[in-house]
């Protein structure tokens, strides 16, 4: 088994004639760590990766999990927003009450003069 050494990701991408983004995506799909030293088999996988059914199923499952997590986060954040809206309404009502009291005090002060 021959090992091939590359000094950078850019050098490897150039060798494979693919973009760095494609290289990262293919390495991720093929579970290859981009360490700088690669076997012939790894280079073959990186140069022409076709996702397997298992990989596609795994990605689908991960996407589903992310969707569930996102949905839970959205529900949590909506509850937080609702609680903050109630706090803002309460404080706004208190402010209106204080404004009314100040107005009445000013009126009484004017009448006293």
């Amino acid at each position: 088994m021959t090992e091939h050494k590359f000094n950078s990701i850019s050098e490897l991408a150039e060798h494979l004639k693919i973009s760095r983004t494609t290289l990262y995506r293919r390495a991720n799909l093929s579970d290859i760590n981009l360490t700088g030293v690669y076997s012939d088999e790894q280079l073959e996988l990186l140069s022409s990766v076709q996702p397997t059914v298992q990989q596609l199923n795994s990605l689908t499952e991960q996407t589903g999990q992310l969707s569930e997590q996102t949905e839970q986060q959205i529900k949590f954040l909506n509850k937080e927003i609702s609680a903050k809206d109630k706090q803002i309404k309460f404080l706004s009502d208190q402010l209106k009450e204080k404004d009314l009291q100040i107005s009445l005090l000013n009126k009484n002060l004017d009448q006293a003069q």
Side-chain angles (χ1 to χ4, degrees):
M1 178 164 86
T2 307
E3 288 192 341
H4 304 273
K5 184 171 177 7
F6 295 90
N7 295 321
S8 68
I9 299 299
S10 296
E11 185 180 325
L12 175 59
E14 276 182 40
H15 173 77
L16 297 172
K17 297 183 174 102
I18 58 175
S19 69
R20 287 173 31 137
T21 304
T22 300
L23 175 59
Y24 282 112
R25 189 179 74 252
R26 288 181 181 180
N28 188 36
L29 281 172
S30 301
D31 290 327
I32 296 173
N33 291 326
L34 299 175
T35 59
V37 179
Y38 310 94
S39 67
D40 290 333
E41 180 182 314
Q42 288 174 319
L43 290 178
E44 179 62 32
L45 283 171
L46 291 171
S47 66
S48 63
V49 89
Q50 295 294 322
T52 65
V53 172
Q54 181 182 6
Q55 289 169 329
L56 290 174
N57 287 340
S58 174
L59 289 173
T60 302
E61 183 179 318
Q62 289 171 6
T63 303
Q65 290 170 353
L66 288 175
S67 295
E68 289 174 23
Q69 289 173 351
T70 302
E71 189 175 320
Q72 290 172 355
Q73 288 174 338
I74 289 171
K75 286 179 183 177
F76 172 77
L77 291 173
N78 280 335
K79 287 179 185 176
E80 289 289 311
I81 289 170
S82 179
K84 294 295 180 190
D85 285 347
K86 288 177 184 175
Q87 289 175 349
I88 290 170
K89 173 132 177 46
F90 174 76
L91 292 173
S92 176
D93 290 346
Q94 281 189 328
L95 187 57
K96 286 178 187 174
E97 179 79 23
K98 296 295 179 193
D99 284 346
L100 181 60
Q101 289 175 356
I102 290 171
S103 177
L104 287 173
L105 286 173
N106 281 335
K107 185 177 180 182
N108 288 338
L109 185 61
D110 286 345
Q111 289 176 351
Q113 292 177 348

